Amino acid sequence: MNTPQPLVLGIESSCDETGVGIVRGTTLLTNTVSSSMDEHVRFGGVIPEIASRAHLDAFVPTLRQALSDAGVTLEDVDAIAVTSGPGLAGALMVGVCAAKALAVATGKPLYAINHLVAHVGVGLLDGKHDDGAAAAVVAGPGRGGPLPDHLGALLVSGGHTEILEINSITSDVQLLGSTIDDAAGEAYDKVARILGLGYPGGPAIDKLARTGNPKAIRFPRGLTQPKYMGTAEEPGKHRYDWSFSGLKTAVARCVEQFEARGEDLPVADIAAAFQEAVVDVITSKAVLACVEHGIKDVLLGGGVAANSRLRELTAKRCASAGITLHVPPLDLCTDNGAMVAALGAQLVMAGIGPSGIRFAPDSSMPVTAVSLPA
Amino acid sequence: MLILAIDTSAVASAALVSDDALEGVVASFSTEDTRSHAEVLAPGIQDLLAEAGVTGQDIDAIVTGVGPGPFTGLRSGIATARTLAFVWDKPLYGLMSLDAVALEVAESTDAAAEFLVVTDARRKEVYWARYSLADGQLPRLEDGPHVSFAADLPDLPAYGAGAGLYSDVLRADPDFAKEQPDALYLGQFALARLAAGGKLLDSTPLYLRESDAQVPGPRKRAL
Ligand SMILES: [Zn+2]
């Protein structure tokens, strides 16, 4: 298939958002999302089984809504795309089974798509980057125009923290670095719980951090010691990788020390110092990876892209390094079906064949697999 | 009436059943594997339709087993059935999955008047239900479904793979010691019940267990 402006329906269910998006080529028609976030609040984090149950009940209503919002019928659709990984195994299974049933019932080709690469794919939609980036003041002349082929992507969310190098969005994506334990968003949730700030932790900490002193306490930046970093010529094992579990432990220990001394907890200072540690290490390593790979454009994606300090510091450090930062609007940064549809459309336009209906979801699908072959 | 029946409460299976066909069966497939539903179900249904020369528009209703069964597998079938019913705009019904084995027992020659159907619930537990049989009737659900330890079940003849697994504590029928709910029997059960003017369930899954989620307790303070 080599359709110039294919109508593609994308399905996302890798975490707690059930998403159905529809695009025509690079034009977004609808981005319909149903979230089970509220059901996870009392647990302080996403519970996979609860998310999976919610996906099952949300899928058909979300699909119906998306078709109606876009004003298209399934008949009109040229291809279906679904997240096949990485993500929560049971959650992925619901979207994949629904997508396969959709393919069987309509006879349309099905693409099994990499969730992380889809976060980047959303940036290829017309006018769908930069405009949400209040802090990304560095956006250059090509503002809103097509992204370059050679691109870095910094993805930060509750489920992942990665820096990718994209040479071709449809055929050549490499992982430069990732977290080796918790995702950044997970660290926010855990620390918010320690500080009694509720779930989701990201917005709560971000808000409180604005009133605190980030320099009041110094929390560790994981994997920044020379043995992990090495040099540009001889990179260490974790030069571009992150680790947030030690940071979480350091916050817990700090809180205990204040309590042991019977002192009032400087919650705002701790929040600010924690946030500074996360954002500092994320941005410094991401920018380093880009500079050392000759990357001149970076797309910021994932739910934590909403974090004001992350946007601010990423923009600042990218600017100093001569890198142009692109940030999609926030509703396209968080998990959604439009990003899956957007990447699906790129695959169709590149003449890449569909995946068929025999593939298995892969909870640890590598970024080098943009889509699964038939 | 042509029904597409799907069950993934244990193995993955699908069947086309019709009151016009001999023994009601048009075509069917099932796997032995209990862990690959997401891969095999859609191709299985596609082949089934092709083999029978049937399109979605020829189907009058879709019936899905609603469990009980291991959650992830169970959802595969329900998600598939709900989506097919939406796209083809057909009525969707649910049927308790253990009914499939109960019908199979009822059709066997040595069925007891009262019996249990038992499947594997993993974690050393079983899903089970108690049925009674009267001549010329569909098996009647008397109690269940439940999830329990095999040792805690009523002392009755027990049929199904869960009985076979715990034959040390259950009166497991050896001919049914590996039997799993199959869409073929589920479809036949649905046809018979609809023909008799009976009602079916909706497609809400019977999980029987809560998610394992624990609400975290308050953080322990240092003092
Ligand atoms: Zn994501």
Side-chain angles (χ1 to χ4, degrees):
Chain A
M1 185 171 34
N2 207 335
T3 318
Q5 288 288 300
L7 186 69
V8 180
L9 183 142
I11 298 165
E12 155 63 29
S13 75
S14 68
C15 191
D16 61 343
E17 323 274 356
T18 312
V20 177
I22 302 175
V23 306
R24 191 185 300 281
T26 54
T27 307
L28 177 66
L29 301 186
T30 187
N31 178 30
T32 309
V33 179
S34 164
S35 175
S36 62
M37 207 228 287
D38 293 349
E39 295 176 56
H40 305 284
V41 168
R42 65 198 178 103
F43 303 104
V46 173
I47 305 298
E49 176 59 22
I50 291 177
S52 301
R53 291 182 182 190
H55 285 307
L56 178 65
D57 289 336
F59 178 70
V60 168
T62 308
L63 172 63
R64 182 183 284 124
Q65 184 71 45
L67 290 167
S68 139
D69 290 350
V72 301
T73 65
L74 285 168
E75 199 96 310
D76 305 329
V77 167
D78 293 306
I80 300 158
V82 64
T83 298
S84 57
L88 303 169
L92 287 168
M93 202 75 82
V94 178
V96 164
C97 286
K100 288 183 175 186
L102 209 50
V104 168
T106 59
K108 308 289 182 181
L110 176 62
Y111 288 80
I113 286 206
N114 189 300
H115 175 88
L116 298 176
V117 183
H119 269 299
V120 187
V122 82
L124 298 169
L125 291 171
D126 298 333
K128 290 301 179 191
H129 58 94
D130 289 348
D131 42 343
V137 289
V138 291
R143 191 181 180 94
L147 290 173
D149 283 344
H150 189 217
L151 180 70
L154 173 59
L155 307 178
V156 190
S157 80
H160 34 80
T161 309
E162 289 92 12
I163 177 83
L164 313 184
E165 178 178 20
I166 295 100
N167 292 303
S168 156
I169 186 96
T170 55
S171 61
D172 185 357
V173 179
Q174 305 296 327
L175 182 70
L176 298 181
S178 69
T179 177
I180 61 164
D181 41 53
D182 294 347
E186 236 177 319
Y188 269 92
D189 290 338
K190 288 176 178 174
V191 166
R193 217 179 89 63
I194 292 170
L195 298 178
L197 298 177
Y199 175 85
I205 288 179
D206 193 15
K207 186 162 172 244
L208 190 62
R210 280 174 217 157
T211 65
N213 174 8
K215 295 200 164 72
I217 303 153
R218 166 120 189 141
F219 287 123
R221 275 70 167 155
L223 302 180
T224 52
Q225 299 92 321
K227 63 172 172 175
Y228 297 120
M229 297 298 290
T231 61
E233 294 72 36
E234 282 182 60
K237 190 159 172 263
H238 294 298
R239 187 166 179 80
Y240 310 132
D241 290 335
W242 295 280
S243 164
F244 298 107
S245 70
L247 173 58
K248 175 200 65 195
T249 310
V251 173
R253 201 163 300 140
C254 167
V255 168
E256 280 165 16
Q257 282 164 1
F258 275 101
E259 285 172 352
R261 291 195 299 265
E263 292 173 26
D264 282 346
L265 210 56
V267 183
D269 287 350
I270 295 174
F274 160 78
Q275 169 148 296
E276 200 57 23
V278 172
V279 168
D280 178 30
V281 73
I282 287 179
T283 53
S284 59
K285 286 204 173 203
V287 169
L288 181 70
C290 290
V291 167
E292 291 181 358
H293 285 79
I295 293 168
K296 294 279 174 210
D297 290 82
V298 169
L299 180 128
L300 180 63
V304 183
N307 184 283
S308 65
R309 182 64 184 145
L310 179 66
R311 291 165 79 117
E312 186 184 21
L313 197 59
T314 309
K316 192 173 145 207
R317 288 188 170 162
C318 280
S320 326
I323 294 168
T324 306
L325 177 65
H326 308 263
V327 190
L330 197 64
D331 60 338
L332 294 176
C333 281
T334 50
D335 292 347
N336 65 81
M339 67 191 210
V340 181
L343 180 55
Q346 292 291 326
L347 292 166
V348 173
M349 290 187 287
I352 290 169
S355 310
I357 57 169
R358 290 174 194 277
F359 66 89
D362 178 0
S363 56
S364 53
M365 188 172 176
V367 295
T368 46
V370 176
S371 67
L372 295 177
Chain B
M1 181 175 210
L2 180 65
I3 287 179
L4 172 63
I6 296 169
D7 188 89
T8 55
S9 64
V11 299
S13 61
L16 282 165
V17 297
S18 162
D19 36 18
D20 291 335
L22 184 70
E23 296 279 316
V25 186
V26 178
S28 73
F29 94 93
S30 69
T31 61
E32 295 198 348
D33 178 351
T34 56
R35 294 185 188 263
S36 61
H37 305 76
E39 288 107 291
V40 300
L41 184 61
I45 292 171
Q46 193 173 54
D47 294 348
L48 200 65
L49 296 171
E51 184 192 323
V54 162
T55 69
Q57 291 324 310
D58 302 325
I59 290 167
D60 296 302
I62 295 170
V63 171
T64 180
V66 291
F71 307 154
T72 299
L74 178 62
R75 275 190 289 267
S76 304
I78 298 175
T80 302
R82 286 182 178 178
T83 307
L84 293 175
F86 169 73
V87 179
W88 290 334
D89 194 19
K90 302 294 177 183
L92 172 65
Y93 302 108
L95 209 51
M96 204 265 277
S97 297
L98 303 181
D99 287 353
V101 178
L103 181 64
E104 222 180 324
V105 172
E107 288 177 352
S108 71
T109 47
D110 57 346
E114 200 179 5
F115 64 91
L116 306 178
V117 173
V118 187
T119 59
D120 183 14
R122 299 179 185 167
R123 302 187 208 169
K124 300 196 163 72
E125 289 185 311
V126 293
Y127 296 118
W128 66 278
R130 181 165 61 89
Y131 291 86
S132 66
L133 273 183
D135 276 349
Q137 302 286 313
L138 285 168
R140 190 183 141 108
L141 178 65
E142 299 287 350
D143 184 19
H146 300 293
V147 59
S148 327
F149 291 111
D152 299 337
L153 269 50
D155 182 24
L156 286 168
Y159 299 82
L165 206 55
Y166 296 98
S167 56
D168 52 335
V169 291
L170 293 174
R171 286 161 58 188
D173 185 300
D175 292 343
F176 282 80
K178 288 193 157 46
E179 211 55 42
Q180 300 279 24
D182 190 310
L184 176 57
Y185 292 97
L186 211 63
Q188 290 177 326
F189 200 113
L191 268 183
R193 185 169 280 176
L194 289 174
K199 278 205 176 353
L200 300 176
L201 306 171
D202 67 20
S203 67
T204 306
L206 299 171
Y207 290 120
L208 304 194
R209 285 180 182 135
E210 289 302 311
S211 69
D212 282 333
Q214 303 256 324
V215 175
R219 190 177 54 82
K220 289 197 193 73
R221 299 182 74 86
L223 278 182

